[in-house]
Amino acid sequence: MSIFSNFNTSNKKILLFWGLVILMLSVVVNSIALCSLGSRLEPDSVGYIRVAKNFIEYGSLLENDYESGVLVPFTERTPGYPLFLAGIYKLFGGSKSITTIIATFQVLFLAASSLLVFILGMYAFGERVCVVSGLFAAADPWASLAGIMILPDSLFYFATTLSILIGVYTLKSNNSTKWIKAFLWGVSIGFSSMFRSVISYFWLITLPIFIYNSSIRRATVFFILFMMGIILFTGGWAYRNYKTTGFWGLQSATGVSLLWASHNLTRPSTANDYKIDPKLAKVRDMVASGTNPMKLMTPIRKELNLSP
């Protein structure tokens, strides 16, 4: 079933017109923001850029240890944005306005995201909703701010919107290609996790998988294919982190959005914790008592024998 199958030729022309309007509106609005405010380097931007440059120089994702300056395998974040930056630097690295070039590409991703919101609204809710939602997405001031910051938010916005569209399309599909779509849906979620580690929350979407399938057997097969798609991206990166540093996961950094997933590492250890795993308990206390997580990286790595 095509996304456009429910619309006649006349409606398709109208929707094509509105799609172009939304695409151009997003480009104009976000370009105005970029020209007015300029590209913005945030504290995290510096780390991403260093990893990107290290990748170009050494052919590997490496970060600079905060205190010693030694290059160590990059595990603090997921690799999608540093690789994106590496591509931009490889093409335009000599330019004095490199951050503006990066932001320009991000503006284009925002425009594509607005179009995806428009298509999602059209497929899931109808013509009126898709136009209104597309216009709001194109003129979203928070998206404009994300576009000019040298951070992965604009690319993550694009990847997650694409993932939601694929998910809705997959769940509403009833033909024989639904199994392929289940795998591609998983791939899209894994791809999104390469920009922001959202895999901890993916279980929230497992319920619709069982609701939209007629039997437990079909739902199980669907779920297995779905998980295979996710693992295609996330499994390789998690295994790479484990092989290089002994850390099994997508990213070692913790933050407000990850406190639910990392609460076991951000609380003080108990006496029983020290009996079960003294090293983990000590690291947990270091994390819980520290005020500067970047400065803690060196002593924690030393405690876990991950780097010099």
Side-chain angles (χ1 to χ4, degrees), residues 10-307:
S10 176
N11 286 348
K12 287 178 181 178
K13 290 181 179 179
I14 294 173
L15 291 171
L16 178 61
F17 166 78
W18 278 111
L20 291 173
V21 168
I22 287 167
L23 191 66
M24 295 307 299
L25 177 62
S26 177
V27 171
V28 170
V29 169
N30 293 308
S31 295
I32 291 174
L34 177 57
C35 294
S36 302
L37 302 174
S39 57
R40 295 182 54 178
L41 283 170
E42 301 295 320
D44 284 350
S45 306
V46 178
Y48 283 121
I49 291 172
R50 284 176 179 169
V51 174
K53 290 182 176 179
N54 288 337
F55 181 77
I56 293 172
E57 183 174 356
Y58 301 104
S60 181
L61 289 167
L62 303 170
E63 59 185 328
N64 300 75
D65 189 275
Y66 185 78
E67 288 188 356
S68 66
V70 174
L71 290 177
V72 295
F74 174 67
T75 62
E76 186 179 355
R77 307 282 184 180
T78 46
Y81 195 61
L83 291 175
F84 164 75
L85 292 179
I88 301 295
Y89 271 92
K90 191 71 174 178
L91 293 173
F92 307 99
S95 173
K96 294 181 180 179
S97 55
I98 185 66
T99 56
T100 301
I101 294 173
I102 294 169
T104 301
F105 275 91
Q106 293 181 172
V107 164
L108 296 177
F109 274 103
L110 288 178
S113 300
S114 299
L115 188 60
L116 289 177
V117 170
F118 169 74
I119 296 172
L120 176 61
M122 174 175 52
Y123 183 63
F125 302 105
E127 297 177 48
R128 292 183 180 180
V129 172
C130 76
V131 172
V132 173
S133 60
L135 290 173
F136 271 111
D140 182 3
W142 291 109
S144 297
L145 183 61
I148 64 175
M149 294 190 297
I150 311 303
L151 291 173
D153 299 83
S154 54
L155 276 73
F156 177 66
Y157 179 23
F158 170 79
T160 50
T161 307
L162 177 62
S163 176
I164 293 169
L165 176 59
I166 293 174
V168 172
Y169 185 49
T170 300
L171 292 176
K172 294 185 70 172
S173 175
N174 293 313
N175 57 32
S176 58
T177 62
K178 186 172 184 176
W179 307 113
I180 299 174
K181 294 169 186 173
F183 176 75
L184 293 177
W185 184 19
V187 169
S188 69
I189 292 177
F191 178 67
S192 300
S193 297
M194 294 297 96
F195 296 98
R196 291 288 190 192
S197 181
V198 295
I199 201 67
S200 299
Y201 313 109
F202 89 96
W203 57 269
L204 294 171
I205 61 175
T206 58
L207 185 60
I209 291 176
F210 288 90
I211 292 175
Y212 278 84
N213 282 278
S214 57
S215 68
I216 294 297
R217 178 178 173 276
R218 285 175 59 85
T220 302
V221 174
F222 188 98
F223 182 73
I224 291 172
L225 291 170
F226 171 74
M227 286 298 301
M228 287 174 61
I230 292 178
I231 293 171
L232 184 67
F233 274 102
T234 60
W237 178 247
Y239 180 72
R240 172 265 185 192
N241 289 340
Y242 177 75
K243 290 292 289 184
T244 55
T245 67
F247 163 72
W248 181 265
L250 296 183
Q251 66 174 43
S252 56
T254 59
V256 174
S257 62
L258 296 173
L259 284 179
W260 179 83
S262 60
H263 65 280
N264 192 48
L265 275 177
T266 55
R267 65 171 177 81
S269 295
T270 64
N272 190 52
D273 291 328
Y274 274 94
K275 291 180 180 179
I276 297 172
D277 191 335
K279 183 175 288 188
L280 176 61
K282 185 174 181 180
V283 170
R284 182 186 290 118
D285 279 342
M286 292 167 69
V287 173
S289 63
T291 57
N292 188 331
M294 295 299 292
K295 286 186 176 180
L296 287 171
M297 290 176 67
T298 297
I300 287 176
R301 280 199 173 99
K302 184 177 180 181
E303 180 65 27
L304 296 177
N305 296 319
L306 297 181
S307 65

